[in-house]
Structures are given as C-alpha cells and as structure tokens.
C-alpha cells in the first residue's frame, strides 16, 4: 500500500484514493496515541530533517511528535539559528543535507514552490509543511480527517472557509482536498481577501457570513493575521469581527448545529468569539490531536524503501 | 502453486478449536482473569471462535481483542515491497495483570509472534502471555514456542500452509501448498 507520489508537496492533483489511504492509516495511528506507551518502532533507523525557514510552533511540534512516536531519528533545523543567516543559498543547504544521508525532509519555507524545488535536487522524500501562500497539505488532511470523524461521510457535506483566503495556504490545500473528497466548498471573506477567479477552483464565494451560515455543515475559520490590517485590507479588527466574526448569535440563527474548525492560533473575539471557540461544536482541540495521527500516517506511507 | 494435501477440513478445524479451548481452561484452572487477543487477519477469527467455545464450556464472556502487528514488523525498512495496509489494533480493555491468550493461525519463523509480544507489552503489562496456534509448521528463527497447538505439521521451506476460514474465505480448510 503506497501513495502515487514519493513526496507530499501539496494536495493539488492528489487522487481521492491517496487521501483515503492517509485518513484510514491515521485511524490506526490515533489508536497508538491512546496507549500508555505512545510509540511504535515503525521508522526505526530512518532519519528525518525538519527544515523550517519560517517560524512555526504547532506544526513543527506536531511533526516532531509524530516522528518521535514512530521512533525515527530527527534533526531540527531552523533558519534563525542556521548558516542560512550566514548567506548560504537554499540549494547549498539542501545539498549539505543530502550529503548527510537523510531519508525524509519536512520543509516550511516562505516561498511558494520551495518543497517542489527541493524534491528535484535531493533524493529524500519531501513533505511540505507550508510554502508561502501556496499549500499546507498536512493541515488540510487533518481538517478533513476531523470532519470525517465527525460526519462519518464527507460526500455531499458543505464546508465554508472563512477569512483571509488570499494569503492562506491552509485554504488552498483545503479546497483541493475537500473537492477531491466530494465536499461542496465555499469561501467567505472581505473582497480584498478573496483571490480573483477563485470560482474556477469550483468554490462558491460569499461576502456576507450570514448568507452562508444557514447552508453549511461546518465552518473552517482562518486566523486573521494582524499585520494585514496595516496593509489596508480591512479597516479595523473590530470591524472585521462585526462583519465576519463567527459568533454565537450568528450560529444560533441556523437551524442545526454547525461544527467549527480553526487551524490555530485563535485570535479570540476577532475571527471567532471566545464562547464559540470553547463550545461543544468546536473541534479545534481534536484537530490538534488528529494532526499528530495524520502526520504519522503521511510519514509511514512515504517512508517505504526505495524501489 | 499446487495443493499437496489437505491438512484439516471443516470438521478438523472445529475439533481443534474445541480441544484448544479445553486446554486453555485446563491449564489456567478456569477462565479467571483471562483475555483473548487474535493476531489479524485470521487470528482474529480463530480468537472469536475460541472465545465462543469457552463461553459454551464455562458460560463466561472473555474479553476479546485484535492486534495488527504491521507497525512492529522487522522488515518494514529492509524489504523492497509495498508497506502493508494498516488494519488497526482493537483492544478495548486493559491487559495489565491479565493472562493474555495470543491466538494466530500459523506459527512459522516466530517473527510475527515477536512483533505481537512487543506490541502487547507496549499496550500494558500482562500477568502472562500464552500462545495458541492452529498450525505449527516449524522452521523457527527466534526462540518462541506455542503453549497450545492445533496440529504440528512438518513442512519444507518451499511449502506454504494456507488457512482458509469461512469468515473471509468462504470455507474452512487448511492446505499444504507447494510454492517452489
């Protein structure tokens, strides 16, 4: 049982069968996380480098935990403390890593396409942990896993992604992954934060959150990055909250409970009101646990010895 | 692949299960603190059958769990084959301080049993683990021995023992086949 690609660079073009394989395997790994000894010897002897050119706390910790749970040897490499700050090129950094006989690389980079470039110059399996505004496939996979756990079947669900779609790699990966799984996807946010022609990906666009809430099963609420306000994309955090904030009042107007996802970290009472974030319909903390299981599944499925 | 002989037919498998159940009860002087864990795939169905047989004899419902040893295989990183599909471990009870009857269909090199033992001790600390198999075909590569054996079958390495069970194979039969 293997995936059609040796790398996980994004969810664009990944067939449904591969996504299902990852989700099904993640169920087994989630069981491991419930044990008193949360560790299996599966990746013993494999060496994985976590190459983070952009700061990250939760994704890095989640990957690191997944790797340790699988008994892999790991090396962490953060741009701030590396020779990159001494002027080394990305290509040279990659070649140096290759020379150290590494099996897999988890990479986060501020430039879109960095993991793709890496996959062409080194022999290791590459996993994209976020590249610029492009993709963040493992986040989307854990979102989809969490939705499948909640709803059992994904086919025919309606999910709306709310917030800054323009700058969000989480949104793009979610759109590709959810569409592959037969989910109806829409996006909602200020016009300044919705990319032009996004309809071509097969999603509906809403500019009023009250129009979309009655139609959906779940909302995936994105974090509003505070520096976007300074860029003039919206006038103030309070105004954003008034127009797009997911609040108890708004959700109560729907005739069924709506599941709330958020990739974290939350700006409470900006994109999501605090009571909604802590409500019984919020699966935000399940997402965190599922993230480790899904990343274990991805590492396992990509780690096969080379043909 | 040619069938060399039928080692057990439906009746034979049934008799073996009955005898294994009796031996398990006898050796443990009852069923107190006993749990059954089958190794997936076919060990799962044998475990269910043994549990059902013990229920008939002792009127006790033994906790029954199933173990998928894939993540503990010793050849994942060495053999150049596809990773096996994960079937998932399902043990919904605490095995600590219980006597675990580990059930598998065929005991051969002992590597599967080694993996299952490692997984069980990661899940809890059993009072003891006893091994029950339908067929012991010899050729051990590790120092492992079964406590309960349905049938000992002398084989050569070029042969394969195929256990067919109704739950997934449409019939109950154990075959000796030539794969050379």
């Amino acid at each position: 049982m293997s995936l059609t690609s040796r790398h996980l660079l994004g969810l664009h073009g990944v067939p449904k069968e591969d996504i299902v394989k990852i989700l099904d395997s993640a169920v087994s790994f989630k069981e491991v996380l419930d044990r008193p000894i949360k560790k299996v010897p599966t990746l013993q002897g494999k060496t994985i480098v976590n190459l983070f050119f952009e700061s990250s706390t939760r994704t890095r910790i989640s990957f690191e935990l997944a790797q340790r749970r699988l008994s892999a040897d790991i090396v962490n490499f953060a741009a701030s403390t590396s020779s990159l700050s001494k002027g080394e090129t990305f290509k040279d950094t990659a070649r140096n890593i290759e020379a150290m006989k590494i099996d897999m690389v988890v990479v986060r980079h501020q430039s879109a396409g960095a993991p793709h470039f890496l996959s062409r110059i080194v022999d290791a399996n590459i996993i994209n942990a976020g590249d610029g505004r492009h993709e963040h496939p493992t986040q989307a996979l854990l979102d989809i896993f969490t939705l499948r756990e909640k709803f059992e079947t994904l086919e025919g669900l309606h999910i709306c992604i709310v917030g800054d779609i323009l700058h969000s790699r989480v949104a793009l990966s979610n759109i590709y992954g959810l569409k592959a799984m037969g989910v109806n996807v829409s996006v909602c946010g200020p016009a300044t934060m919705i990319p032009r022609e996004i309809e071509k990906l097969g999603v509906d666009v809403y500019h009023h959150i009250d129009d979309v809430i009655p139609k959906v099963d779940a909302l995936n609420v994105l974090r509003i990055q505070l520096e976007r306000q300074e860029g003039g994309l919206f006038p103030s955090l309070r105004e954003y909250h008034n127009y797009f904030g997911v609040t108890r009042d708004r959700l109560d107007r729907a005739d069924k409970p709506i599941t709330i996802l958020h990739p974290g970290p939350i700006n409470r009472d900006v994109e999501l009101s605090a009571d909604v974030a802590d409500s019984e319909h919020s699966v935000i903390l399940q997402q965190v646990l599922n993230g480790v299981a899904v990343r274990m599944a991805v590492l396992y499925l990509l780690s096969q010895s080379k043909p | 692949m040619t069938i060399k002989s039928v080692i057990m037919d439906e009746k034979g498998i049934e008799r073996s299960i009955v005898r294994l159940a009796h031996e398990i009860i006898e050796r443990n002087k009852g069923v107190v603190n006993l749990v059954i864990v089958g190794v997936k795939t076919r060990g799962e169905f044998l475990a269910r059958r043994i549990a059902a047989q013990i229920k008939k004899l002792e009127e006790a419902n033994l906790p029954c769990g199933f173990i998928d040893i894939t993540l503990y295989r010793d050849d994942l990183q060495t053999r150049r084959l596809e990773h096996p599909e994960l079937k998932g471990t399902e043990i919904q009870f605490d095995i600590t301080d219980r006597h675990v009857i580990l059930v598998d269909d065929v005991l051969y090199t002992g590597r599967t049993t080694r993996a299952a033992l490692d997984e069980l001790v990661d899940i809890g600390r059993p009072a003891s683990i006893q091994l029950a198999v339908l067929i012991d075909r010899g050729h051990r590569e590790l120092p492992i021995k079964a406590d309960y054996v349905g049938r000992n079958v002398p084989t050569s390495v070029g042969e394969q023992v195929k256990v067919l069970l109704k739950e997934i194979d449409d019939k109950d039969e154990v075959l000796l086949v030539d794969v050379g």
Side-chain angles (χ1 to χ4, degrees):
Chain A
M1 190 179 68
S2 61
L3 303 177
T4 45
S5 170
R6 287 188 58 231
H7 311 290
L8 180 66
L9 303 175
L11 291 187
H12 182 225
V14 173
K16 180 179 176 180
E17 300 73 56
D18 278 9
I19 296 177
V20 171
K21 267 181 206 169
I22 294 169
L23 302 184
D24 287 348
S25 304
V27 175
S28 293
F29 288 110
K30 198 169 172 183
E31 181 268 322
V32 171
L33 299 178
D34 266 339
R35 296 182 187 175
I37 296 173
K38 300 168 181 54
K39 196 175 174 103
V40 287
T42 315
L43 293 192
Q44 227 161 49
K46 290 270 178 189
T47 310
I48 306 177
V49 172
N50 295 313
L51 193 55
F52 279 72
F53 291 92
E54 203 182 72
S55 67
S56 159
T57 309
R58 50 190 69 211
T59 302
R60 190 178 52 75
I61 289 176
S62 181
F63 265 112
E64 198 173 322
L65 212 49
Q67 293 153 0
R68 290 183 191 279
R69 301 286 193 230
L70 290 168
S71 307
D73 295 318
I74 61 180
V75 183
N76 289 319
F77 179 103
S80 52
T81 57
S82 74
S83 49
L84 212 79
S85 49
K86 297 178 188 167
E88 191 182 42
T89 65
F90 183 53
K91 196 168 185 174
D92 283 335
T93 306
R95 290 243 164 93
N96 273 280
I97 289 167
E98 174 92 300
M100 289 185 268
K101 305 278 181 212
I102 297 303
D103 297 298
M104 305 177 94
V105 181
V106 174
V107 58
R108 166 168 289 195
H109 201 281
Q110 59 278 10
S111 301
H116 307 67
F117 176 69
L118 202 56
S119 73
R120 288 194 294 271
I121 55 174
V122 303
D123 202 29
N125 307 98
I126 310 295
I127 298 172
N128 182 358
D131 60 329
R133 299 180 193 179
H134 181 224
E135 282 221 49
H136 190 355
T138 55
Q139 175 68 43
L141 288 166
L142 76 90
D143 292 344
I144 296 169
F145 181 85
T146 308
L147 287 167
R148 192 178 77 161
E149 229 176 26
K150 178 92 186 173
F151 294 99
E152 282 170 22
T153 172
L154 293 166
E155 196 86 32
L157 283 183
H158 187 170
I159 312 294
C160 182
I161 307 167
V162 185
D164 184 359
I165 311 300
L166 180 65
H167 297 93
S168 174
R169 52 196 176 207
V170 175
L172 191 58
S173 288
N174 257 285
I175 291 169
Y176 290 138
L178 289 167
K179 293 297 287 180
M181 297 302 292
V183 176
N184 301 316
V185 186
S186 53
V187 296
C188 179
T192 48
M193 292 178 158
I194 303 279
R196 263 187 245 169
E197 305 202 24
I198 192 160
E199 301 85 355
K200 289 191 173 161
L201 295 179
V203 302
D204 298 321
V205 177
Y206 291 86
H207 295 296
H208 297 284
I209 187 136
D210 293 310
D211 293 346
V212 73
I213 282 177
K215 299 177 181 170
V216 299
D217 300 290
L219 293 173
N220 196 344
V221 185
L222 302 179
R223 171 184 166 79
I224 284 297
Q225 287 173 316
L226 305 179
E227 64 272 20
R228 301 291 174 219
Q229 183 205 342
E230 290 149 25
L233 293 177
F234 58 93
S236 72
L237 290 176
R238 185 196 288 201
E239 184 159 326
Y240 183 87
H241 183 69
N242 284 343
Y243 282 98
F244 294 97
V246 175
T247 61
R248 172 60 44 217
D249 277 356
R250 289 194 154 119
L251 293 174
D252 281 347
R253 270 177 249 148
D255 53 5
K256 61 178 175 199
I258 292 169
T259 300
I260 303 296
L261 294 93
H262 191 296
I266 307 170
N267 294 310
R268 282 177 181 259
D269 297 322
V270 181
E271 68 266 9
L272 195 58
S273 68
D275 57 340
V276 173
D278 301 328
S279 76
E280 57 184 315
H281 299 299
S282 152
V283 289
I284 297 170
L285 292 177
Q286 279 100 297
Q287 285 175 273
V288 177
L289 173 64
N290 291 342
V292 179
V294 164
R295 291 182 173 112
M296 287 170 83
V298 169
L299 292 164
Y300 169 72
L301 290 168
L302 291 179
S303 73
Q304 316 205 85
S305 39
K306 281 162 221 136
Chain B
M1 196 172 80
T2 50
I3 296 173
K4 291 177 88 172
S5 66
V6 178
I7 300 170
M8 279 185 188
D9 58 7
E10 186 176 341
K11 205 69 206 160
I13 292 176
E14 196 188 316
R15 287 191 195 107
S16 274
I17 299 275
V18 172
R19 186 170 52 76
L20 289 174
H22 276 286
E23 284 182 11
I24 289 166
I25 297 164
E26 188 188 10
R27 172 96 59 101
N28 292 282
K29 301 184 176 70
V31 293
V32 178
N33 233 359
L34 231 51
V35 300
I36 299 190
V37 174
V39 179
K40 286 189 175 182
T41 306
R42 283 170 182 74
E44 168 176 352
F45 306 117
L46 293 172
R48 286 183 197 276
R49 291 187 192 187
I50 290 173
Q53 190 58 43
I54 290 177
K55 185 173 183 206
K56 262 193 218 166
L57 299 169
E58 296 282 309
E59 287 172 7
N61 276 315
L62 295 193
C64 204
F66 315 106
I67 196 167
D68 173 14
I69 57 103
T70 306
L71 298 173
Y72 287 75
R73 292 182 71 109
D74 58 10
D75 55 1
L76 278 177
Q77 305 308 333
T78 49
R79 59 178 202 155
R80 294 170 179 235
L81 292 173
E82 282 211 345
H83 276 188
E85 184 188 340
L86 299 180
K87 302 185 194 90
T89 290
E90 305 159 62
I91 298 180
Q92 316 289 358
F93 46 84
D94 190 0
I95 61 169
T96 298
D97 296 332
R98 318 289 289 268
H99 296 283
V100 176
I101 310 294
L102 183 65
V103 180
D104 204 355
D105 55 352
V106 180
L107 179 57
Y108 180 28
T109 60
R111 288 178 190 267
T112 302
T113 307
R114 190 284 305 164
L117 292 174
D118 280 351
E119 182 158 3
L120 283 174
V121 298
D122 277 358
I123 292 170
R125 187 183 183 282
S128 70
I129 303 176
Q130 303 162 27
L131 178 63
V133 297
L134 188 62
I135 304 289
D136 181 348
R137 61 166 292 192
H139 302 285
R140 219 74 79 235
E141 292 168 5
L142 296 170
I144 283 169
K145 185 171 175 292
D147 300 272
Y148 313 97
V149 180
R151 174 95 49 98
N152 283 296
V153 181
T155 59
S156 71
V157 176
E159 293 166 333
Q160 203 185 343
V161 176
K162 284 188 91 76
V163 174
L164 306 175
L165 297 174
K166 269 182 190 154
E167 290 89 334
I168 45 169
D169 305 305
D170 307 321
K171 62 174 170 182
D172 277 357
E173 206 168 52
V174 181
L175 303 172
L176 184 65
V177 297
D178 207 333
V179 286

